[in-house]
């Protein structure tokens, strides 16, 4: 029943693409969907026997892949699976990893993972309520307040529309069983040892 309600309320992903680490990704257009509803829908979306989650990004190559393959026609923003709702300035993925520490004037620490905030502008916790992560689409305008592929913090119920700050959908990621951690994927490609892909490897998450 929960899955039926989620798929009835939100459009089914039109296409799913496999990323460089073996994870599958999909973009679901849904004008003005809240972060909370997108999160619930993503967790009830099934692909190849695996339930999804809002997208998590751990490298520039993964960010570029999502931007170019999923958000090419997006003029506004799409939700990702990051938040600092539990502790202001402590940004974590839904999978638990902290990827940034700071705030309006904070800077990333040495122990923090990859982040791709709009430089000099985000995250700014505007009006004290911006606790959820979004990415600007590839068709979003380049300027001081938006740039394709860059990250922004927004309120959970950011409205839809046509501006670069409007929420036009969300990214779903599926951690497929044979997914290879990103560093290992590059090593395998470089060495040509593709046979190792048959070994059991722990997912990045």
């Amino acid at each position: 029943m929960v899955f039926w309600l989620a798929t009835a309320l939100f459009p089914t992903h039109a296409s799913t693409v496999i990323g460089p680490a073996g994870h599958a990704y999909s973009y679901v257009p849904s004008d003005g969907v809240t972060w909370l509803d997108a999160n619930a829908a993503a967790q009830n979306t099934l692909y190849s026997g695996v339930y999804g989650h809002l997208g998590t990004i751990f490298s520039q190559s993964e960010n570029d892949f999502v931007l170019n393959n999923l958000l090419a026609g997006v003029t506004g923003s799409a939700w990702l699976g990051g938040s600092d709702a539990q502790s202001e300035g402590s940004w974590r993925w839904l999978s638990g990893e902290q990827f940034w520490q700071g705030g309006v004037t904070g800077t990333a620490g040495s122990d923090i993972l990859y982040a791709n905030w709009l430089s000099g502008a985000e995250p700014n916790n505007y009006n004290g309520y911006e606790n959820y992560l979004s990415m600007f689409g590839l068709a979003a305008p380049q300027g001081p307040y938006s740039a394709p592929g860059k990250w922004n913090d927004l309120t959970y119920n950011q409205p839809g529309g046509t501006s670069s700050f409007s929420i036009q959908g969300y990214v779903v990621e599926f951690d497929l069983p044979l997914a290879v951690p990103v560093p290992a994927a590059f090593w395998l490609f470089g060495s040509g040892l593709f046979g190792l892909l048959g070994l059991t490897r722990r997912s990045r998450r």
Side-chain angles (χ1 to χ4, degrees), residues 83-94 96 131-132:
S83 171
D84 72 340
Q86 291 188 344
S87 178
E88 179 58 40
S90 179
W91 283 87
R92 292 182 178 275
W93 295 116
L94 289 171
N131 297 316
Y132 299 93

Side-chain angles (χ1 to χ4, degrees), residues 51-177:
Y51 283 99
H53 58 83
L54 285 179
T56 59
I57 295 180
F58 289 84
S59 68
Q60 185 63 53
S61 61
E62 186 177 14
N63 197 83
D64 291 343
F65 179 86
V66 169
L67 178 67
N68 293 313
N69 289 277
L70 300 177
L71 307 183
V74 176
T75 60
S77 300
W79 289 127
L80 296 176
S83 171
D84 72 340
Q86 291 188 344
S87 178
E88 179 58 40
S90 179
W91 283 87
R92 292 182 178 275
W93 295 116
L94 289 171
S95 47
E97 301 91 341
Q98 182 180 358
F99 61 87
W100 196 82
Q101 176 68 47
V104 176
T105 59
T107 55
S110 59
D111 60 339
I112 307 300
L113 303 175
Y114 171 81
N116 195 41
W117 299 107
L118 182 63
S119 180
E122 307 297 345
N124 63 4
N125 195 31
Y126 184 70
N127 281 339
Y129 295 106
E130 294 189 329
N131 297 316
Y132 299 93
L133 183 64
S134 66
M135 180 196 288
F136 294 108
L138 186 62
Q142 179 82 39
Y145 302 110
S146 71
K150 291 296 183 178
W151 300 357
N152 181 25
D153 59 336
L154 293 172
T155 60
Y156 78 94
N157 58 347
Q158 181 75 10
T162 58
S163 77
S164 58
F165 295 100
S166 62
I167 288 297
Q168 298 176 356
Y170 54 94
V171 175
V172 184
E173 182 175 353
F174 305 89
D175 300 337
L176 301 182

